[in-house]
Amino acid sequence: KIQETDLHKLLNDVVLFLRPLHGDSSISIVRNFESDDAICWGDPTQLQQVFVNLLVNAIQAVDEQSGTVRMYTRDVDEGRAIAVRIEDNGSGIDEAHRKDIFDPFFTTKSIGGTGLGLSTSARIIEAHEGTLELSSSKPGHTVFQVILPHLRTQQTTSLVQIESDETIGITI
Protein backbone atom coordinates (compact mmCIF):
# COMPACT_ATOMS: atom_id res chain seq x y z
CA LYS A 1 0.00 0.00 0.00
CA ILE A 2 1.79 3.08 -1.27
CA GLN A 3 1.15 6.19 0.81
CA GLU A 4 2.86 9.18 2.32
CA THR A 5 5.24 7.76 4.89
CA ASP A 6 7.02 9.62 7.67
CA LEU A 7 10.45 7.96 7.81
CA HIS A 8 11.25 9.44 11.24
CA LYS A 9 8.15 7.85 12.74
CA LEU A 10 8.82 4.59 10.90
CA LEU A 11 12.44 4.47 12.13
CA ASN A 12 11.36 5.18 15.71
CA ASP A 13 8.78 2.39 15.46
CA VAL A 14 11.44 -0.03 14.14
CA VAL A 15 13.73 0.79 17.08
CA LEU A 16 10.88 0.11 19.52
CA PHE A 17 10.05 -3.13 17.69
CA LEU A 18 13.67 -4.29 17.97
CA ARG A 19 14.14 -3.31 21.63
CA PRO A 20 13.81 -6.96 22.79
CA LEU A 21 16.72 -7.87 20.50
CA HIS A 22 19.14 -5.41 22.13
CA GLY A 23 17.32 -4.34 25.30
CA ASP A 24 19.19 -6.62 27.71
CA SER A 25 22.63 -5.69 26.38
CA SER A 26 24.49 -2.42 26.54
CA ILE A 27 24.06 -1.85 22.80
CA SER A 28 22.79 1.65 22.19
CA ILE A 29 20.89 2.94 19.20
CA VAL A 30 21.47 6.65 18.66
CA ARG A 31 19.15 8.63 16.40
CA ASN A 32 20.12 11.90 14.75
CA PHE A 33 17.33 13.05 12.47
CA GLU A 34 18.56 16.12 10.58
CA SER A 35 16.06 16.04 7.73
CA ASP A 36 13.30 18.59 8.08
CA ASP A 37 11.03 16.71 5.69
CA ALA A 38 11.06 12.97 6.32
CA ILE A 39 8.00 12.28 4.18
CA CYS A 40 8.35 10.00 1.18
CA TRP A 41 5.93 7.93 -0.87
CA GLY A 42 6.22 4.27 -0.07
CA ASP A 43 4.81 1.10 1.31
CA PRO A 44 5.38 1.44 5.08
CA THR A 45 5.41 -2.33 5.62
CA GLN A 46 8.08 -2.88 2.98
CA LEU A 47 10.16 0.07 4.19
CA GLN A 48 9.85 -1.23 7.74
CA GLN A 49 11.22 -4.59 6.54
CA VAL A 50 14.25 -2.84 5.01
CA PHE A 51 15.11 -0.96 8.18
CA VAL A 52 14.48 -3.99 10.41
CA ASN A 53 16.93 -5.95 8.22
CA LEU A 54 19.58 -3.21 8.34
CA LEU A 55 19.25 -2.64 12.09
CA VAL A 56 19.25 -6.36 12.95
CA ASN A 57 22.44 -6.79 10.91
CA ALA A 58 24.01 -3.80 12.67
CA ILE A 59 22.97 -5.04 16.13
CA GLN A 60 24.36 -8.50 15.39
CA ALA A 61 27.65 -6.99 14.16
CA VAL A 62 28.46 -4.99 17.28
CA ASP A 63 29.92 -6.10 20.57
CA GLU A 64 27.23 -6.54 23.22
CA GLN A 65 29.38 -4.71 25.78
CA SER A 66 30.25 -1.61 23.79
CA GLY A 67 28.07 -1.68 20.68
CA THR A 68 26.66 1.45 19.14
CA VAL A 69 24.34 1.73 16.16
CA ARG A 70 23.67 5.20 14.78
CA MET A 71 20.85 6.28 12.48
CA TYR A 72 21.02 9.56 10.62
CA THR A 73 18.65 11.25 8.22
CA ARG A 74 19.47 14.22 6.05
CA ASP A 75 18.15 15.84 2.92
CA VAL A 76 20.10 15.15 -0.28
CA ASP A 77 19.80 15.93 -3.98
CA GLU A 78 18.85 19.55 -3.29
CA GLY A 79 16.01 18.48 -1.01
CA ARG A 80 14.41 16.07 -3.50
CA ALA A 81 15.44 13.00 -1.51
CA ILE A 82 16.16 11.83 2.00
CA ALA A 83 19.18 9.76 3.01
CA VAL A 84 19.02 7.33 5.93
CA ARG A 85 22.39 6.14 7.17
CA ILE A 86 22.78 3.15 9.48
CA GLU A 87 26.24 3.02 11.07
CA ASP A 88 27.69 0.50 13.50
CA ASN A 89 30.98 0.05 15.30
CA GLY A 90 31.11 -3.69 14.67
CA SER A 91 33.66 -5.90 12.98
CA GLY A 92 33.01 -4.62 9.45
CA ILE A 93 32.47 -6.56 6.24
CA ASP A 94 35.48 -8.32 4.78
CA GLU A 95 36.68 -6.78 1.51
CA ALA A 96 36.31 -10.15 -0.24
CA HIS A 97 32.58 -10.26 0.59
CA ARG A 98 31.56 -6.70 -0.30
CA LYS A 99 30.75 -7.45 -3.94
CA ASP A 100 28.45 -10.32 -2.91
CA ILE A 101 26.47 -8.93 0.01
CA PHE A 102 23.43 -7.96 -2.08
CA ASP A 103 23.29 -11.34 -3.87
CA PRO A 104 20.41 -13.64 -2.87
CA PHE A 105 21.43 -16.40 -0.45
CA PHE A 106 24.88 -14.93 0.25
CA THR A 107 25.62 -14.83 3.96
CA THR A 108 28.65 -14.55 6.19
CA LYS A 109 26.72 -15.81 9.21
CA SER A 110 27.52 -19.34 10.30
CA ILE A 111 24.17 -19.76 12.04
CA GLY A 112 20.78 -18.19 11.35
CA GLY A 113 21.47 -16.24 8.18
CA THR A 114 19.49 -16.95 5.01
CA GLY A 115 21.27 -14.41 2.84
CA LEU A 116 17.98 -12.84 1.82
CA GLY A 117 17.84 -9.72 4.01
CA LEU A 118 20.10 -7.39 2.02
CA SER A 119 19.04 -8.67 -1.41
CA THR A 120 15.36 -8.28 -0.52
CA SER A 121 16.01 -4.85 0.99
CA ALA A 122 17.83 -3.68 -2.13
CA ARG A 123 14.94 -4.80 -4.36
CA ILE A 124 12.39 -3.04 -2.14
CA ILE A 125 14.36 0.21 -2.22
CA GLU A 126 14.81 -0.04 -6.01
CA ALA A 127 11.03 -0.52 -6.37
CA HIS A 128 10.67 2.73 -4.40
CA GLU A 129 12.98 4.48 -6.91
CA GLY A 130 15.75 4.69 -4.34
CA THR A 131 19.17 3.21 -3.69
CA LEU A 132 20.69 1.03 -0.99
CA GLU A 133 24.45 0.86 -0.77
CA LEU A 134 27.28 -0.12 1.48
CA SER A 135 28.94 3.28 1.88
CA SER A 136 31.84 2.21 4.05
CA SER A 137 33.08 -0.84 5.87
CA LYS A 138 36.17 -1.31 7.92
CA PRO A 139 36.67 -2.79 11.37
CA GLY A 140 34.81 -0.57 13.80
CA HIS A 141 32.77 1.29 11.19
CA THR A 142 30.19 -0.03 8.73
CA VAL A 143 27.73 2.29 6.99
CA PHE A 144 24.71 1.40 4.89
CA GLN A 145 22.87 4.23 3.20
CA VAL A 146 19.32 4.28 1.83
CA ILE A 147 18.26 7.18 -0.38
CA LEU A 148 14.56 7.62 -1.10
CA PRO A 149 12.91 10.35 -3.14
CA HIS A 150 10.41 12.55 -1.36
CA LEU A 151 8.07 12.20 -4.35
CA ARG A 152 7.57 9.43 -6.90
CA THR A 153 8.43 10.22 -10.50
CA GLN A 154 6.12 7.61 -12.00
CA GLN A 155 2.49 6.90 -11.22
CA THR A 156 2.45 3.28 -12.35
CA THR A 157 5.20 0.71 -12.26
CA SER A 158 4.99 -2.81 -13.54
CA LEU A 159 6.48 -4.79 -10.69
CA VAL A 160 5.75 -8.37 -11.71
CA GLN A 161 5.86 -9.91 -15.18
CA ILE A 162 3.75 -13.06 -15.60
CA GLU A 163 5.04 -15.67 -18.10
CA SER A 164 2.21 -14.87 -20.48
CA ASP A 165 1.89 -11.42 -21.98
CA GLU A 166 -0.16 -10.38 -18.98
CA THR A 167 1.46 -7.83 -16.66
CA ILE A 168 0.34 -7.04 -13.19
CA GLY A 169 0.34 -3.24 -12.89
CA ILE A 170 0.45 -1.73 -9.49
CA THR A 171 -0.36 1.94 -9.04
CA ILE A 172 2.12 3.63 -6.77
Side-chain angles (χ1 to χ4, degrees), residues 43-104:
D43 180 320
T45 303
Q46 289 183 354
L47 292 174
Q48 221 171 22
Q49 180 181 352
V50 168
F51 293 111
V52 165
N53 286 337
L54 292 173
L55 283 171
V56 165
N57 287 350
I59 290 167
Q60 290 174 345
V62 299
D63 183 325
E64 287 190 19
Q65 303 308 313
S66 61
T68 302
V69 177
R70 298 181 188 283
M71 287 192 311
Y72 299 91
T73 64
R74 63 184 172 88
D75 292 320
V76 294
D77 194 19
E78 298 178 3
R80 290 188 293 267
I82 183 171
V84 180
R85 292 173 54 100
I86 311 286
E87 300 182 9
D88 69 65
N89 66 345
S91 57
I93 298 171
D94 189 283
E95 181 72 38
H97 300 307
R98 292 182 194 164
K99 65 180 180 21
D100 301 318
I101 61 170
F102 293 106
D103 292 344

Side-chain angles (χ1 to χ4, degrees), residues 140-162:
H141 192 245
T142 298
V143 181
F144 280 90
Q145 180 169 267
V146 174
I147 297 179
L148 290 165
H150 284 296
L151 300 173
R152 303 285 298 191
T153 59
Q154 300 175 13
Q155 287 300 326
T156 304
T157 301
S158 177
L159 297 178
V160 179
Q161 178 72 38
I162 306 300

Side-chain angles (χ1 to χ4, degrees), residues 32-51:
N32 184 5
F33 297 155
E34 297 174 9
S35 177
D36 292 329
D37 179 12
I39 304 298
C40 70
W41 282 95
D43 180 320
T45 303
Q46 289 183 354
L47 292 174
Q48 221 171 22
Q49 180 181 352
V50 168
F51 293 111

Side-chain angles (χ1 to χ4, degrees), residues 8-36:
H8 289 165
K9 180 178 178 341
L10 186 138
L11 291 168
N12 283 324
D13 289 347
V14 167
V15 170
L16 289 174
F17 173 74
L18 293 177
R19 183 158 290 152
L21 183 62
H22 68 89
D24 291 337
S25 68
S26 60
I27 295 172
S28 62
I29 298 179
V30 177
R31 291 164 270 194
N32 184 5
F33 297 155
E34 297 174 9
S35 177
D36 292 329

